[in-house]
Amino acid sequence: MNFIKMICQYALRSAITLVLAVTLFVTNLFWPAASEAIAQALPVQTNQPQSNQSWLTGILQLAFANIPNNLKYTKDHEWVRVEGNIATIGVTDFAQRQLGDVVFVQFPKVGEVFDQNDELGTIESVKAVAEFYTPLKGEIVEVNQEVSDDPELVNTDPYGDAWLVKIKFSDSSALNALLSDQQYSEFIKESSEA
């Protein structure tokens, strides 16, 4: 049932994104003044003037990004799910789209202790190698062996089966620095316009 729901949500999001992209493209092409007015009406703005192309790129990136509202996020494009004193950490849909096809993930060892913002491992794709970090100080209690065996899961199910590590933490104050889904959406848009 969850799989069918996920497929329906993806199909709906894809249809809406396609309509939005075509509308913005046509508007930008034939009526630049109106497209600039649309850009000004968007809820997230930076103080610097942007070209039509940059805000259009930002909107399309946001439209395609899947950002669940039940998670917290970092500016390094990790997501965090907290259950008691265990935080499950993975990379966001936006991050996996930027990376492209993932071919290898290097994990830390279970039992290792990391400080907040330490590098936990690397994700290698056909385009690049990227590090992933821990937003919390703590001990690694589990790594996702399934992702080690099948790295493509990072591309196909970043918020589900492709979680990367679970870390046991004692200081929950660092959770206050994490971003909500809305803040993360705004961060992506601002980064794409920079």
Side-chain angles (χ1 to χ4, degrees), residues 40 43-50 186 189-191 193-194:
Q40 294 300 320
V44 179
Q45 294 291 322
T46 58
N47 292 329
Q48 56 201 22
Q50 301 296 326
E186 292 172 3
K189 184 172 187 295
E190 288 168 358
S191 297
E193 291 178 344

Side-chain angles (χ1 to χ4, degrees), residues 30-188:
F30 295 107
W31 198 7
S35 84
E36 193 58 39
I38 292 170
Q40 294 300 320
L42 292 171
V44 179
Q45 294 291 322
T46 58
N47 292 329
Q48 56 201 22
Q50 301 296 326
S51 71
N52 287 343
Q53 185 175 1
S54 68
W55 70 258
L56 180 60
T57 302
I59 290 171
L60 291 177
Q61 286 178 330
L62 275 177
F64 280 108
N66 177 13
I67 306 173
N69 62 7
N70 63 332
L71 302 172
K72 294 293 188 178
Y73 300 89
T74 73
K75 291 184 177 181
D76 292 314
H77 304 289
E78 288 97 15
W79 58 263
V80 180
R81 179 184 299 117
V82 177
E83 297 168 300
N85 65 342
I86 303 293
T88 303
I89 300 168
V91 295
T92 65
D93 182 56
F94 179 82
Q96 69 83 16
R97 287 177 187 275
Q98 297 299 307
L99 282 168
D101 296 335
V102 174
V103 295
F104 178 75
V105 179
Q106 178 188 15
F107 289 101
K109 291 185 172 70
V110 171
E112 282 189 274
V113 177
F114 291 88
D115 285 329
Q116 184 179 7
N117 300 321
D118 278 356
E119 180 184 322
L120 290 175
T122 57
I123 301 174
E124 184 177 335
S125 74
V126 293
K127 297 192 320 189
V129 176
E131 297 78 23
F132 64 97
Y133 303 90
T134 176
L136 304 164
K137 178 180 180 178
E139 177 186 351
I140 302 296
V141 293
E142 190 176 352
V143 298
N144 191 343
Q145 189 59 46
E146 196 175 347
V147 169
S148 184
D149 297 338
D150 184 9
E152 291 179 3
L153 280 173
V154 173
N155 299 116
T156 58
D157 193 12
Y159 299 114
D161 289 340
W163 59 272
L164 299 177
V165 299
K166 293 187 179 185
I167 189 165
K168 183 178 182 180
F169 64 94
S170 56
D171 182 9
S172 61
S173 63
L175 295 172
N176 298 328
L178 298 176
L179 306 175
S180 68
D181 58 313
Q182 183 60 42
Q183 290 169 324
Y184 182 61
S185 295
E186 292 172 3
F187 172 72
I188 292 173

Side-chain angles (χ1 to χ4, degrees), residues 2-61:
N2 283 343
F3 179 73
I4 294 172
K5 181 180 177 184
M6 184 178 70
I7 294 295
C8 290
Q9 288 174 339
Y10 181 78
L12 179 61
R13 187 170 42 249
S14 297
I16 291 170
T17 301
L18 181 60
V19 169
L20 177 63
V22 170
T23 302
L24 289 174
F25 176 76
V26 170
T27 303
N28 193 46
L29 192 62
F30 295 107
W31 198 7
S35 84
E36 193 58 39
I38 292 170
Q40 294 300 320
L42 292 171
V44 179
Q45 294 291 322
T46 58
N47 292 329
Q48 56 201 22
Q50 301 296 326
S51 71
N52 287 343
Q53 185 175 1
S54 68
W55 70 258
L56 180 60
T57 302
I59 290 171
L60 291 177
Q61 286 178 330

